[in-house]
Amino acid sequence: AADGQSYHVNETGATPGNSKAILFKIPYFPNWKTDSHEPVRLVSPNLILVRTERPSFTIQYKTGAVEYLGLVLSAVCLLLGLLRRRFS
């Protein structure tokens, strides 16, 4: 992905009606999404699980609006702090 990570699983061994669990050794964050909108579940702090019925799927980490808002607010606060220090 342009703003994150992406993993594609070619052969899950799953078929419609016969789901398979795919385990990823990746830290869990709510921003992990699959292209098929299947839920991404936390197994442990460093493992996530996706249960799928599709023969292939992609899981992506996408940066959300909250993260972008936090970056903008941090930059604004930093600039205000520097301007205040310079003109004091």
Side-chain angles (χ1 to χ4, degrees), residues 4 6 14 16 18 27 33 39 42 47 49 56 76 80:
S6 177
N18 180 23
K33 306 289 182 206
L42 172 66
L47 292 173
L49 177 83
S56 68
V76 168
L80 289 175

Side-chain angles (χ1 to χ4, degrees), residues 7-13 22 24 52 54-59:
Y7 299 97
H8 182 74
V9 179
N10 285 326
E11 296 180 28
T12 63
I22 309 295
F24 292 89
T52 185
R54 297 179 60 198
S56 68
F57 73 97
T58 300
I59 183 171

Side-chain angles (χ1 to χ4, degrees), residues 19-83:
S19 66
K20 296 289 183 182
I22 309 295
L23 195 63
F24 292 89
K25 189 173 181 179
I26 303 171
Y28 173 80
F29 288 97
N31 293 9
W32 284 108
K33 306 289 182 206
T34 63
D35 59 348
S36 58
H37 306 291
E38 291 156 332
V40 177
R41 294 185 172 92
L42 172 66
V43 176
S44 75
N46 289 317
L47 292 173
I48 59 176
L49 177 83
V50 177
R51 184 168 287 281
T52 185
E53 291 185 0
R54 297 179 60 198
S56 68
F57 73 97
T58 300
I59 183 171
Q60 285 185 320
Y61 182 88
K62 292 188 175 184
T63 304
V66 174
E67 287 85 4
Y68 286 124
L69 178 63
L71 288 172
V72 169
L73 289 176
S74 295
V76 168
C77 289
L78 179 63
L79 288 174
L80 289 175
L82 291 173
L83 288 174

